[in-house]
C-alpha cells in the first residue's frame, strides 16, 4: 500500500508567486511516461539524451532547499 508522507509541494498556475520557478512537462518518445522537472539541466538532458519532447510549462513551484536550479 501507499503511505502518506505529507505535502510534496504547492503548485501555482502562473508565475505570480514571488520566488517560484517553472516546472516543465516533458513526454517520452518511447511511451515511458511524463517527466516533470524544475531543473534546466535535467530538462536539457532529458531532451538531448533520452528523447523526451518538451510540452511546455506545467505549473510554477518553489524550489526545494536542495535544488540546484
Amino acid at each position: 500500500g501507499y503511505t502518506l508522507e505529507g505535502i510534496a509541494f504547492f503548485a501555482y498556475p502562473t508565475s505570480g508567486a514571488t520566488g517560484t520557478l517553472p516546472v516543465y512537462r516533458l513526454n517520452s518518445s518511447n511511451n515511458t511516461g511524463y517527466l516533470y522537472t524544475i531543473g534546466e539541466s535535467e530538462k536539457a538532458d532529458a531532451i538531448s539524451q533520452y528523447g523526451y519532447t518538451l510540452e511546455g510549462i506545467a505549473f510554477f513551484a518553489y524550489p526545494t532547499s536542495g535544488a540546484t536550479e
Side-chain angles (χ1 to χ4, degrees), residues 6 13 19 38 42-44 50 52 59:
I38 205 166
E42 184 176 31
K43 176 183 74 169
Y50 301 105
Y52 279 83
F59 53 87

Side-chain angles (χ1 to χ4, degrees), residues 1-63:
Y2 292 98
T3 302
L4 179 62
E5 295 181 354
I7 297 171
F9 59 87
F10 292 99
Y12 300 88
T14 65
S15 63
T18 302
T20 60
L21 296 174
V23 177
Y24 301 102
R25 176 179 161 146
L26 298 98
N27 187 8
S28 172
S29 60
N30 58 10
N31 296 321
T32 58
Y34 293 96
L35 169 68
Y36 291 87
T37 182
I38 205 166
E40 294 290 337
S41 60
E42 184 176 31
K43 176 183 74 169
D45 289 347
I47 293 168
S48 66
Q49 296 180 21
Y50 301 105
Y52 279 83
T53 301
L54 178 63
E55 293 188 341
I57 296 171
F59 53 87
F60 291 81
Y62 290 103

